[in-house]
Structures are given as structure tokens and as C-alpha cells.
Amino acid sequence: NSTGLVANLNADRLDGKSSTDFLRSSTFRAESPVDIGTALGDGTFTKLLFCPAGSRLLSGGPANLSGTSVMVESFPDGSGGWKARIHPNGLTDNWSVVVLCASVN
């Protein structure tokens, strides 16, 4: 946090890489279809969404939930996708899963 210059210190390089080497990807959003999802037989519904090929999952979660539904789970499922489960409290809820992805090409 010094404001002075330090001899032979190049803050634009880390482990021999330039700062431009660290953000070679772009981020984008993908969304599942808006529908009820897959019924699990216990009153809850689930969806699993993957980023397209050539990209990596960064984050995700359910979207478009009605005010009467409850989010039960929302997590990266270990296979590269984002899984969410809701409980619509006996009503019909058309919802989706949204993921944030980073292109790796």
C-alpha cells in the first residue's frame, strides 16, 4: 500500500505472467427453459443446468420463482452443472435455473 516506487518491482507481472494473461476468458449467462422441472415425488421439483461446451461453471441459482415457492437447495452438483430444487407448496410454478459461465477458449 506504499505510494513510493520500489526498484525492480513490476506489479504488472505475477509468476512470470502479465496481468492480461489472467483474463483471457469472457463471462456469460445461460438459462434453462422456464417450466416446472422434474418432480421428485416428495412435492419438490429439481433442475440441473450445465454451461455449454468450451466454458466453465462459475455460479448459478434458481430464477423466476413465484412468491409461494421455497428454494430448498441450490449448489454446484459435482458433475460440472448447477442443481436447484424448489418446493412450490402444492401449486404449479414455472421456474428456471441460471448459470454464470466463463469461456475457456
Side-chain angles (χ1 to χ4, degrees):
N1 61 5
S2 171
T3 58
L5 294 176
V6 178
N8 298 318
L9 176 64
N10 185 348
D12 186 46
R13 300 192 69 75
L14 178 65
D15 289 338
K17 294 185 178 184
S18 170
S19 61
T20 58
D21 293 332
F22 290 97
L23 189 58
R24 285 190 280 180
S25 63
S26 61
T27 59
F28 61 94
R29 174 186 182 275
E31 185 172 358
S32 72
V34 177
D35 57 29
I36 63 170
T38 302
L40 295 180
D42 61 357
T44 66
F45 294 79
T46 188
K47 290 186 177 210
L48 175 62
L49 183 62
F50 294 89
C51 290
S55 62
R56 292 192 190 263
L57 176 71
L58 298 175
S59 184
N64 304 303
L65 293 179
S66 76
T68 57
S69 290
V70 175
M71 180 188 67
V72 178
E73 298 178 306
S74 180
F75 60 93
D77 81 328
S79 69
W82 195 274
K83 188 173 191 175
R85 183 167 62 113
I86 69 161
H87 192 293
N89 293 305
L91 302 172
T92 299
D93 190 358
N94 291 310
W95 61 293
S96 62
V97 171
V98 174
V99 291
L100 180 62
C101 309
S103 62
V104 294
N105 297 332

